Coordinates of all heavy atoms in Angstrom, one line a residue:
S1 N 23.5 -9.6 -4.9 CA 22.4 -8.7 -4.7 C 22.6 -8.1 -3.3 O 23.3 -8.6 -2.5 CB 21.0 -9.4 -4.8 OG 20.9 -10.4 -3.8
V2 N 21.8 -7.0 -3.1 CA 21.9 -6.3 -1.8 C 20.7 -6.6 -1.0 O 19.6 -6.6 -1.5 CB 22.0 -4.8 -2.1 CG1 22.1 -4.0 -0.8 CG2 23.2 -4.5 -3.0
Y3 N 20.9 -6.8 0.3 CA 19.8 -7.0 1.3 C 19.5 -5.7 2.0 O 20.4 -5.1 2.6 CB 20.2 -8.1 2.2 CG 19.2 -8.4 3.3 CD1 18.0 -9.1 3.1 CD2 19.4 -7.8 4.6 CE1 17.1 -9.3 4.0 CE2 18.4 -8.0 5.6 CZ 17.3 -8.8 5.3 OH 16.3 -9.0 6.3
Y4 N 18.3 -5.3 2.1 CA 17.9 -4.1 2.8 C 17.0 -4.6 4.0 O 16.0 -5.2 3.8 CB 17.1 -3.2 1.9 CG 17.9 -2.6 0.8 CD1 17.8 -3.2 -0.5 CD2 18.8 -1.6 1.0 CE1 18.5 -2.7 -1.6 CE2 19.5 -1.1 -0.1 CZ 19.4 -1.6 -1.3 OH 20.1 -1.1 -2.4
A5 N 17.4 -4.3 5.2 CA 16.6 -4.6 6.3 C 15.4 -3.6 6.5 O 15.6 -2.4 6.3 CB 17.5 -4.5 7.6
A6 N 14.3 -4.2 6.8 CA 13.1 -3.4 7.0 C 13.2 -2.7 8.3 O 13.4 -3.3 9.3 CB 11.8 -4.2 6.9
T7 N 13.0 -1.4 8.3 CA 13.0 -0.7 9.6 C 11.7 -0.1 10.0 O 11.5 0.3 11.2 CB 14.0 0.5 9.5 OG1 13.6 1.4 8.4 CG2 15.4 0.0 9.2
D8 N 10.7 -0.2 9.1 CA 9.4 0.3 9.4 C 8.4 -0.8 9.5 O 8.3 -1.6 8.6 CB 9.0 1.3 8.3 CG 7.7 2.1 8.7 OD1 7.2 2.0 9.8 OD2 7.3 2.9 7.8
V9 N 7.7 -0.9 10.6 CA 6.7 -2.0 10.8 C 5.5 -1.9 9.9 O 4.9 -2.9 9.6 CB 6.2 -1.9 12.3 CG1 5.2 -3.0 12.6 CG2 7.4 -2.0 13.3
V10 N 5.3 -0.8 9.3 CA 4.2 -0.6 8.4 C 4.3 -1.5 7.1 O 3.4 -2.0 6.5 CB 4.0 0.8 7.9 CG1 2.9 1.0 6.9 CG2 3.7 1.7 9.2
I11 N 5.6 -1.9 6.8 CA 5.8 -2.8 5.7 C 5.2 -4.1 5.9 O 4.7 -4.8 5.0 CB 7.4 -2.9 5.5 CG1 7.9 -1.6 5.0 CG2 7.7 -4.0 4.5 CD1 9.4 -1.5 5.0
L12 N 5.1 -4.6 7.2 CA 4.5 -5.8 7.5 C 3.0 -5.8 7.1 O 2.5 -6.8 6.6 CB 4.7 -6.1 9.0 CG 4.0 -7.4 9.5 CD1 4.6 -8.6 8.8 CD2 4.2 -7.5 11.0
R13 N 2.4 -4.7 7.3 CA 0.9 -4.6 6.9 C 0.7 -4.9 5.5 O -0.2 -5.6 5.1 CB 0.4 -3.2 7.3 CG -1.0 -3.0 6.8 CD -1.5 -1.5 7.2 NE -2.0 -1.4 8.5 CZ -3.3 -1.8 8.8 NH1 -4.0 -2.3 7.9 NH2 -3.7 -1.6 10.0
F14 N 1.6 -4.3 4.6 CA 1.5 -4.5 3.2 C 1.7 -6.0 2.8 O 1.1 -6.6 2.0 CB 2.4 -3.6 2.4 CG 2.1 -2.2 2.6 CD1 3.0 -1.3 3.1 CD2 0.9 -1.7 2.2 CE1 2.7 0.1 3.2 CE2 0.6 -0.3 2.3 CZ 1.5 0.6 2.9
M15 N 2.7 -6.6 3.5 CA 3.0 -8.0 3.2 C 1.8 -8.9 3.6 O 1.5 -9.8 2.9 CB 4.3 -8.4 4.0 CG 5.5 -7.7 3.5 SD 7.0 -7.9 4.5 CE 7.0 -9.7 4.8
I16 N 1.2 -8.6 4.8 CA 0.1 -9.4 5.2 C -1.1 -9.2 4.3 O -1.8 -10.2 4.0 CB -0.3 -9.0 6.7 CG1 0.8 -9.4 7.6 CG2 -1.6 -9.7 7.1 CD1 1.1 -10.9 7.7
E17 N -1.3 -8.0 3.8 CA -2.5 -7.7 2.9 C -2.3 -8.5 1.6 O -3.3 -8.9 1.0 CB -2.6 -6.2 2.6 CG -3.2 -5.4 3.8 CD -3.2 -4.0 3.5 OE1 -2.8 -3.5 2.4 OE2 -3.7 -3.2 4.4
V18 N -1.1 -8.7 1.2 CA -0.9 -9.5 -0.1 C -1.0 -11.0 0.1 O -1.6 -11.7 -0.7 CB 0.5 -9.1 -0.6 CG1 0.9 -10.1 -1.8 CG2 0.6 -7.7 -1.1
C19 N -0.5 -11.5 1.3 CA -0.5 -12.9 1.4 C -1.4 -13.6 2.4 O -1.3 -14.8 2.7 CB 1.0 -13.3 1.7 SG 1.6 -12.8 3.3
W20 N -2.3 -12.8 3.0 CA -3.2 -13.4 4.0 C -4.1 -14.5 3.5 O -4.3 -15.6 4.1 CB -4.0 -12.4 4.7 CG -5.2 -11.8 3.9 CD1 -5.2 -10.8 3.1 CD2 -6.5 -12.3 3.9 NE1 -6.4 -10.6 2.5 CE2 -7.2 -11.6 3.0 CE3 -7.1 -13.4 4.6 CZ2 -8.6 -11.8 2.8 CZ3 -8.5 -13.6 4.3 CH2 -9.2 -12.8 3.4
A21 N -4.6 -14.4 2.3 CA -5.5 -15.4 1.7 C -4.8 -16.7 1.4 O -5.2 -17.8 1.8 CB -6.3 -14.9 0.5
P22 N -3.6 -16.7 0.8 CA -2.8 -17.9 0.6 C -2.4 -18.5 1.9 O -2.3 -19.7 2.0 CB -1.6 -17.5 -0.2 CG -2.1 -16.2 -0.9 CD -3.0 -15.5 0.0
M23 N -2.1 -17.7 2.9 CA -1.7 -18.2 4.2 C -2.9 -18.9 4.8 O -2.7 -20.0 5.4 CB -1.2 -17.1 5.1 CG 0.1 -16.5 4.8 SD 0.5 -15.0 5.8 CE 0.1 -15.4 7.4
L24 N -4.1 -18.4 4.7 CA -5.3 -19.0 5.3 C -5.5 -20.3 4.6 O -5.8 -21.3 5.3 CB -6.5 -18.1 5.1 CG -7.8 -18.6 5.6 CD1 -7.8 -18.8 7.1 CD2 -8.9 -17.6 5.2
A25 N -5.3 -20.4 3.3 CA -5.5 -21.7 2.6 C -4.4 -22.7 3.0 O -4.6 -23.9 3.2 CB -5.4 -21.5 1.1
A26 N -3.1 -22.2 3.2 CA -2.0 -23.0 3.5 C -2.2 -23.6 4.9 O -1.7 -24.7 5.2 CB -0.7 -22.3 3.5
F27 N -2.9 -23.0 5.8 CA -3.1 -23.5 7.2 C -4.4 -24.3 7.2 O -4.4 -25.3 7.9 CB -3.3 -22.4 8.2 CG -2.1 -21.4 8.3 CD1 -2.2 -20.1 8.5 CD2 -0.8 -21.9 8.1 CE1 -1.1 -19.2 8.6 CE2 0.3 -21.1 8.1 CZ 0.1 -19.7 8.4
S28 N -5.4 -24.0 6.4 CA -6.7 -24.6 6.5 C -6.7 -26.0 5.8 O -7.3 -26.9 6.3 CB -7.8 -23.7 5.9 OG -7.9 -22.5 6.6
V29 N -6.2 -26.0 4.6 CA -6.3 -27.3 3.8 C -5.6 -28.4 4.4 O -6.2 -29.5 4.6 CB -5.9 -27.0 2.3 CG1 -5.8 -28.3 1.6 CG2 -6.8 -26.0 1.6
P30 N -4.3 -28.3 4.8 CA -3.7 -29.4 5.5 C -4.4 -29.8 6.8 O -4.4 -31.0 7.2 CB -2.3 -29.0 5.7 CG -2.1 -27.8 4.8 CD -3.4 -27.2 4.6
L31 N -4.8 -28.8 7.6 CA -5.5 -29.1 8.8 C -6.8 -29.9 8.6 O -7.1 -30.8 9.4 CB -5.8 -27.8 9.6 CG -6.3 -27.9 11.0 CD1 -5.4 -28.7 11.9 CD2 -6.6 -26.5 11.6
D32 N -7.5 -29.6 7.5 CA -8.7 -30.3 7.2 C -8.4 -31.7 6.7 O -9.2 -32.6 7.1 CB -9.5 -29.5 6.2 CG -10.8 -30.1 5.9 OD1 -11.5 -30.5 6.9 OD2 -11.2 -30.1 4.7
Q33 N -7.4 -31.9 5.9 CA -7.2 -33.1 5.2 C -6.3 -34.1 6.0 O -6.3 -35.3 5.6 CB -6.7 -32.9 3.8 CG -7.6 -32.1 3.0 CD -7.1 -31.8 1.6 OE1 -5.9 -32.1 1.3 NE2 -7.9 -31.3 0.7
S34 N -5.6 -33.7 7.0 CA -4.6 -34.5 7.6 C -5.0 -34.8 9.1 O -5.5 -33.9 9.7 CB -3.2 -33.9 7.5 OG -2.3 -34.7 8.2
D35 N -4.6 -35.9 9.6 CA -4.8 -36.3 11.0 C -3.4 -36.4 11.7 O -3.3 -36.8 12.8 CB -5.5 -37.6 11.2 CG -7.0 -37.4 10.8 OD1 -7.6 -36.3 11.0 OD2 -7.6 -38.4 10.3
D36 N -2.3 -36.1 10.9 CA -1.0 -36.1 11.5 C -0.8 -35.1 12.5 O -1.1 -33.9 12.3 CB 0.0 -35.9 10.3 CG 1.5 -36.1 10.8 OD1 1.7 -36.7 11.9 OD2 2.3 -35.6 10.0
E37 N -0.3 -35.4 13.7 CA -0.1 -34.5 14.8 C 0.9 -33.4 14.5 O 0.6 -32.2 14.9 CB 0.4 -35.3 16.0 CG -0.6 -36.2 16.6 CD 0.0 -37.0 17.8 OE1 1.1 -36.6 18.3 OE2 -0.6 -38.0 18.2
I38 N 1.9 -33.6 13.7 CA 2.9 -32.6 13.4 C 2.3 -31.6 12.4 O 2.4 -30.4 12.6 CB 4.2 -33.2 12.8 CG1 4.9 -34.1 13.8 CG2 5.1 -32.2 12.2 CD1 6.0 -34.9 13.3
V39 N 1.5 -32.1 11.4 CA 0.9 -31.2 10.5 C -0.2 -30.3 11.3 O -0.2 -29.1 11.1 CB 0.2 -31.9 9.4 CG1 -0.7 -31.0 8.5 CG2 1.2 -32.7 8.5
T40 N -0.9 -30.9 12.1 CA -1.9 -30.2 12.9 C -1.2 -29.1 13.8 O -1.7 -28.0 13.8 CB -2.7 -31.2 13.8 OG1 -3.4 -32.1 13.0 CG2 -3.7 -30.5 14.7
A41 N -0.2 -29.5 14.4 CA 0.5 -28.5 15.3 C 1.1 -27.3 14.5 O 1.0 -26.2 14.9 CB 1.7 -29.2 16.1
L42 N 1.7 -27.6 13.3 CA 2.2 -26.5 12.5 C 1.1 -25.6 12.0 O 1.3 -24.4 12.0 CB 3.0 -27.1 11.4 CG 4.3 -27.8 11.8 CD1 5.0 -28.5 10.6 CD2 5.3 -26.8 12.3
C43 N 0.0 -26.2 11.5 CA -1.1 -25.4 11.0 C -1.7 -24.5 12.1 O -2.0 -23.3 11.9 CB -2.2 -26.3 10.4 SG -1.7 -27.1 8.9
L44 N -1.9 -25.1 13.3 CA -2.4 -24.3 14.4 C -1.5 -23.2 14.9 O -1.9 -22.1 15.3 CB -2.8 -25.2 15.6 CG -4.0 -26.2 15.3 CD1 -4.2 -27.1 16.5 CD2 -5.3 -25.4 15.0
E45 N -0.2 -23.5 14.8 CA 0.8 -22.5 15.1 C 0.7 -21.3 14.1 O 0.8 -20.2 14.5 CB 2.2 -23.1 15.1 CG 3.3 -22.1 15.6 CD 4.6 -22.8 15.6 OE1 4.8 -24.0 15.1 OE2 5.6 -22.2 16.2
G46 N 0.5 -21.7 12.8 CA 0.4 -20.7 11.8 C -0.8 -19.8 12.1 O -0.8 -18.6 11.9
F47 N -1.9 -20.4 12.4 CA -3.2 -19.7 12.8 C -2.9 -18.7 13.9 O -3.3 -17.6 13.9 CB -4.3 -20.6 13.2 CG -5.2 -21.0 12.0 CD1 -5.1 -22.3 11.5 CD2 -6.0 -20.1 11.4 CE1 -5.9 -22.7 10.5 CE2 -6.8 -20.5 10.4 CZ -6.8 -21.8 9.9
R48 N -2.2 -19.3 15.0 CA -1.9 -18.5 16.2 C -1.1 -17.2 15.8 O -1.5 -16.1 16.2 CB -1.2 -19.3 17.2 CG -0.9 -18.6 18.5 CD -0.1 -19.5 19.5 NE -0.8 -20.7 19.8 CZ -0.3 -21.9 19.5 NH1 0.8 -22.1 18.9 NH2 -1.0 -23.0 19.8
Y49 N -0.1 -17.4 15.0 CA 0.8 -16.2 14.7 C 0.1 -15.3 13.7 O 0.2 -14.1 13.8 CB 2.1 -16.7 14.1 CG 3.0 -17.4 15.1 CD1 3.7 -18.5 14.7 CD2 3.2 -16.8 16.3 CE1 4.6 -19.1 15.7 CE2 4.0 -17.4 17.3 CZ 4.7 -18.6 16.9 OH 5.6 -19.2 17.8
A50 N -0.7 -15.8 12.8 CA -1.5 -15.0 11.9 C -2.5 -14.1 12.6 O -2.6 -12.9 12.3 CB -2.1 -15.8 10.8
I51 N -3.2 -14.7 13.6 CA -4.2 -14.0 14.3 C -3.5 -12.9 15.2 O -3.9 -11.8 15.3 CB -5.0 -14.9 15.2 CG1 -5.9 -15.8 14.3 CG2 -5.8 -14.2 16.2 CD1 -6.6 -17.0 15.0
H52 N -2.3 -13.3 15.8 CA -1.6 -12.3 16.6 C -1.1 -11.1 15.8 O -1.3 -10.0 16.1 CB -0.4 -13.0 17.2 CG 0.5 -12.1 18.0 ND1 0.1 -11.6 19.3 CD2 1.7 -11.5 17.7 CE1 1.0 -10.8 19.7 NE2 2.0 -10.7 18.8
V53 N -0.5 -11.4 14.6 CA 0.0 -10.3 13.8 C -1.1 -9.4 13.3 O -1.0 -8.2 13.3 CB 0.9 -10.9 12.6 CG1 1.2 -9.8 11.6 CG2 2.1 -11.5 13.1
T54 N -2.2 -10.0 12.8 CA -3.3 -9.2 12.3 C -4.0 -8.4 13.4 O -4.4 -7.3 13.1 CB -4.3 -10.1 11.5 OG1 -4.7 -11.1 12.3 CG2 -3.7 -10.6 10.2
S55 N -4.0 -8.9 14.6 CA -4.5 -8.2 15.7 C -3.7 -7.0 16.1 O -4.1 -5.9 16.3 CB -4.7 -9.1 16.9 OG -5.6 -10.1 16.7
V56 N -2.4 -7.2 16.1 CA -1.4 -6.1 16.5 C -1.4 -5.0 15.4 O -1.3 -3.9 15.8 CB 0.0 -6.7 16.7 CG1 1.0 -5.6 16.8 CG2 0.1 -7.6 17.9
M57 N -1.6 -5.4 14.2 CA -1.6 -4.4 13.1 C -3.0 -3.8 12.9 O -3.2 -3.1 11.9 CB -1.1 -5.1 11.8 CG 0.3 -5.7 11.9 SD 1.5 -4.4 12.2 CE 1.6 -3.6 10.7
S58 N -4.0 -4.2 13.7 CA -5.4 -3.6 13.6 C -6.0 -4.0 12.3 O -6.7 -3.1 11.7 CB -5.4 -2.1 13.9 OG -4.9 -1.8 15.2
M59 N -5.8 -5.2 11.8 CA -6.4 -5.6 10.6 C -7.6 -6.5 10.9 O -7.5 -7.8 10.9 CB -5.3 -6.4 9.7 CG -4.1 -5.5 9.4 SD -2.8 -6.4 8.7 CE -3.3 -6.5 7.0
K60 N -8.7 -5.9 11.2 CA -9.8 -6.6 11.8 C -10.4 -7.6 10.8 O -10.8 -8.7 11.2 CB -10.9 -5.6 12.3 CG -10.4 -4.8 13.4 CD -11.3 -3.7 13.8 CE -10.7 -2.8 14.9 NZ -11.4 -1.6 15.1
T61 N -10.6 -7.3 9.6 CA -11.2 -8.2 8.6 C -10.3 -9.4 8.4 O -10.8 -10.5 8.4 CB -11.3 -7.4 7.3 OG1 -12.1 -6.3 7.5 CG2 -12.0 -8.3 6.3
H62 N -9.0 -9.2 8.3 CA -8.1 -10.4 8.2 C -8.1 -11.2 9.4 O -8.1 -12.5 9.3 CB -6.7 -9.9 7.8 CG -6.7 -9.0 6.6 ND1 -6.9 -7.6 6.7 CD2 -6.4 -9.2 5.3 CE1 -6.8 -7.1 5.5 NE2 -6.5 -8.0 4.7
R63 N -8.1 -10.6 10.6 CA -8.1 -11.3 11.8 C -9.3 -12.2 11.9 O -9.3 -13.3 12.3 CB -8.0 -10.4 13.0 CG -8.0 -11.1 14.4 CD -8.5 -10.2 15.5 NE -9.8 -9.7 15.2 CZ -10.3 -8.5 15.6 NH1 -9.5 -7.7 16.2 NH2 -11.5 -8.2 15.3
D64 N -10.5 -11.6 11.6 CA -11.7 -12.3 11.7 C -11.8 -13.5 10.7 O -12.4 -14.5 11.1 CB -12.9 -11.3 11.4 CG -13.1 -10.3 12.5 OD1 -12.5 -10.5 13.6 OD2 -13.8 -9.3 12.3
A65 N -11.2 -13.3 9.6 CA -11.1 -14.5 8.6 C -10.4 -15.6 9.2 O -10.8 -16.8 9.1 CB -10.5 -14.0 7.3
F66 N -9.2 -15.3 9.9 CA -8.4 -16.4 10.5 C -9.2 -17.0 11.7 O -9.2 -18.2 11.8 CB -7.1 -15.9 10.9 CG -6.1 -15.7 9.8 CD1 -5.7 -14.5 9.4 CD2 -5.5 -16.8 9.2 CE1 -4.8 -14.3 8.4 CE2 -4.6 -16.7 8.2 CZ -4.2 -15.4 7.8
V67 N -9.8 -16.2 12.5 CA -10.5 -16.7 13.7 C -11.7 -17.5 13.3 O -12.0 -18.6 13.8 CB -10.9 -15.5 14.6 CG1 -11.9 -16.0 15.7 CG2 -9.7 -14.8 15.2
T68 N -12.5 -17.1 12.3 CA -13.6 -17.8 11.8 C -13.2 -19.2 11.3 O -13.9 -20.2 11.5 CB -14.4 -17.0 10.7 OG1 -14.8 -15.7 11.3 CG2 -15.6 -17.7 10.3
S69 N -12.2 -19.2 10.5 CA -11.7 -20.4 9.9 C -11.2 -21.4 11.0 O -11.6 -22.6 11.0 CB -10.6 -20.2 8.9 OG -10.1 -21.4 8.4
L70 N -10.5 -20.9 12.0 CA -10.1 -21.7 13.1 C -11.3 -22.2 13.9 O -11.3 -23.4 14.3 CB -9.2 -20.9 14.0 CG -8.6 -21.6 15.2 CD1 -7.8 -22.8 14.8 CD2 -7.7 -20.6 16.0
A71 N -12.3 -21.4 14.1 CA -13.5 -21.8 14.9 C -14.2 -22.9 14.2 O -14.7 -23.8 14.8 CB -14.4 -20.6 15.0
K72 N -14.2 -23.0 12.9 CA -14.8 -24.1 12.1 C -14.1 -25.4 12.4 O -14.7 -26.5 12.4 CB -14.8 -23.8 10.6 CG -15.8 -22.7 10.3 CD -15.8 -22.4 8.8 CE -16.7 -21.2 8.5 NZ -16.6 -20.9 7.1
F73 N -12.8 -25.3 12.7 CA -12.0 -26.6 12.9 C -12.2 -27.1 14.3 O -11.8 -28.2 14.6 CB -10.6 -26.3 12.7 CG -10.2 -26.3 11.2 CD1 -9.8 -25.1 10.7 CD2 -10.4 -27.4 10.4 CE1 -9.5 -25.0 9.3 CE2 -10.1 -27.3 9.0 CZ -9.6 -26.1 8.5
T74 N -13.0 -26.4 15.2 CA -13.2 -26.9 16.5 C -14.3 -28.0 16.5 O -14.4 -28.8 17.4 CB -13.7 -25.8 17.4 OG1 -14.9 -25.3 17.0 CG2 -12.7 -24.7 17.6
S75 N -15.1 -28.0 15.4 CA -16.2 -29.0 15.3 C -17.2 -29.0 16.5 O -17.8 -30.0 16.8 CB -15.7 -30.4 15.1 OG -15.1 -30.5 13.8
L76 N -17.3 -27.9 17.1 CA -18.3 -27.7 18.2 C -19.7 -27.8 17.8 O -20.6 -28.1 18.5 CB -18.0 -26.4 19.0 CG -16.7 -26.4 19.8 CD1 -16.5 -25.0 20.4 CD2 -16.7 -27.4 20.9
H77 N -19.9 -27.6 16.5 CA -21.3 -27.7 15.9 C -21.7 -29.2 15.7 O -22.9 -29.5 15.6 CB -21.4 -27.0 14.6 CG -20.4 -27.5 13.6 ND1 -19.0 -27.1 13.6 CD2 -20.5 -28.3 12.5 CE1 -18.4 -27.7 12.6 NE2 -19.2 -28.4 11.9
S78 N -20.8 -30.1 15.7 CA -21.1 -31.6 15.7 C -20.1 -32.3 16.6 O -19.1 -32.9 16.1 CB -20.9 -32.0 14.2 OG -19.6 -31.8 13.7
P79 N -20.5 -32.4 17.9 CA -19.6 -33.0 18.9 C -19.3 -34.5 18.6 O -18.3 -35.0 19.1 CB -20.3 -32.9 20.2 CG -21.4 -31.8 19.9 CD -21.7 -31.8 18.5
A80 N -20.1 -35.2 17.9 CA -19.9 -36.6 17.6 C -18.7 -36.8 16.7 O -18.1 -37.9 16.7 CB -21.1 -37.2 17.0
D81 N -18.3 -35.8 15.9 CA -17.2 -36.0 15.0 C -15.9 -35.4 15.5 O -14.9 -35.3 14.7 CB -17.6 -35.3 13.7 CG -18.8 -35.9 13.0 OD1 -19.0 -37.1 13.2 OD2 -19.5 -35.1 12.3
I82 N -15.8 -35.1 16.7 CA -14.6 -34.4 17.2 C -13.4 -35.4 17.3 O -13.5 -36.5 17.8 CB -14.8 -33.8 18.6 CG1 -15.8 -32.6 18.5 CG2 -13.5 -33.4 19.3 CD1 -16.0 -31.8 19.7
K83 N -12.3 -35.0 16.7 CA -11.0 -35.7 16.8 C -10.0 -34.9 17.6 O -10.3 -33.8 18.1 CB -10.5 -35.9 15.4 CG -11.4 -36.7 14.4 CD -10.8 -36.7 13.1 CE -11.8 -37.4 12.1 NZ -11.3 -37.4 10.7
Q84 N -8.8 -35.5 17.8 CA -7.8 -34.8 18.5 C -7.4 -33.5 18.0 O -7.2 -32.5 18.7 CB -6.6 -35.7 18.7 CG -5.5 -35.1 19.5 CD -5.9 -34.8 20.9 OE1 -6.6 -35.6 21.6 NE2 -5.6 -33.6 21.5
K85 N -7.4 -33.4 16.6 CA -7.0 -32.1 16.0 C -8.1 -31.0 16.3 O -7.8 -29.8 16.4 CB -6.8 -32.2 14.5 CG -8.0 -32.5 13.7 CD -7.7 -32.6 12.2 CE -8.8 -33.0 11.4 NZ -8.5 -33.2 10.0
N86 N -9.4 -31.4 16.5 CA -10.4 -30.5 16.8 C -10.3 -30.0 18.2 O -10.5 -28.8 18.5 CB -11.8 -31.1 16.6 CG -12.0 -31.6 15.2 OD1 -12.1 -32.8 15.0 ND2 -12.0 -30.8 14.2
V87 N -9.9 -30.9 19.1 CA -9.6 -30.5 20.5 C -8.4 -29.6 20.6 O -8.5 -28.6 21.3 CB -9.3 -31.8 21.4 CG1 -8.9 -31.4 22.8 CG2 -10.6 -32.7 21.4
D88 N -7.4 -29.8 19.8 CA -6.2 -28.9 19.7 C -6.7 -27.5 19.2 O -6.2 -26.5 19.7 CB -5.1 -29.5 18.9 CG -4.5 -30.7 19.5 OD1 -4.7 -31.0 20.7 OD2 -3.9 -31.5 18.7
A89 N -7.6 -27.5 18.3 CA -8.1 -26.2 17.7 C -8.8 -25.5 18.8 O -8.8 -24.2 18.9 CB -8.9 -26.4 16.5
I90 N -9.6 -26.2 19.6 CA -10.3 -25.5 20.7 C -9.3 -24.9 21.7 O -9.6 -23.8 22.2 CB -11.2 -26.6 21.5 CG1 -12.3 -27.0 20.5 CG2 -11.8 -26.0 22.7 CD1 -13.1 -28.2 21.0
K91 N -8.3 -25.6 22.0 CA -7.3 -25.1 23.0 C -6.6 -23.8 22.4 O -6.3 -22.9 23.1 CB -6.2 -26.1 23.2 CG -6.6 -27.3 24.0 CD -5.5 -28.3 24.2 CE -6.0 -29.5 24.9 NZ -4.9 -30.5 25.0

């Protein structure tokens, strides 16, 4: 098969529009269910990059969905339940 390199950044917008919801689930579910430091770090890195890309591409709704989901993982609404992964989410 032939590989075609993308030369237009607008293609990224279409790719994000298609896969942002599965990406959000892929970052949120493991972060919620696991206390493993590696899993937490990878999920938070995914959030960081997703927020960055959606911000650069001016995709406000998508960006807000990622930011809101990340904010829920800070557990600032219930300080008694804060774990290390919640502190990492705050950072």
Side-chain angles (χ1 to χ4, degrees):
S1 65
V2 179
Y3 176 79
Y4 296 100
T7 57
D8 192 4
V9 180
V10 177
I11 293 172
L12 179 59
R13 175 182 272 280
F14 296 120
M15 291 170 49
I16 296 296
E17 285 179 359
V18 170
C19 67
W20 75 271
M23 287 171 48
L24 182 61
F27 303 145
S28 298
V29 173
L31 185 59
D32 185 41
Q33 295 178 352
S34 177
D35 289 327
D36 184 18
E37 293 177 12
I38 295 172
V39 172
T40 299
L42 290 172
C43 291
L44 291 175
E45 185 178 11
F47 270 110
R48 182 180 304 116
Y49 290 136
I51 291 168
H52 176 76
V53 168
T54 53
S55 295
V56 169
M57 301 298 289
S58 299
M59 302 172 79
K60 295 175 184 166
T61 305
H62 305 84
R63 180 204 60 211
D64 291 345
F66 283 108
V67 170
T68 302
S69 181
L70 181 60
K72 290 179 184 177
F73 286 112
T74 62
S75 291
L76 290 174
H77 57 280
S78 59
D81 299 331
I82 291 183
K83 299 177 184 175
Q84 183 59 43
K85 68 180 177 182
N86 305 113
V87 174
D88 293 340
I90 292 169
K91 291 178 184 177

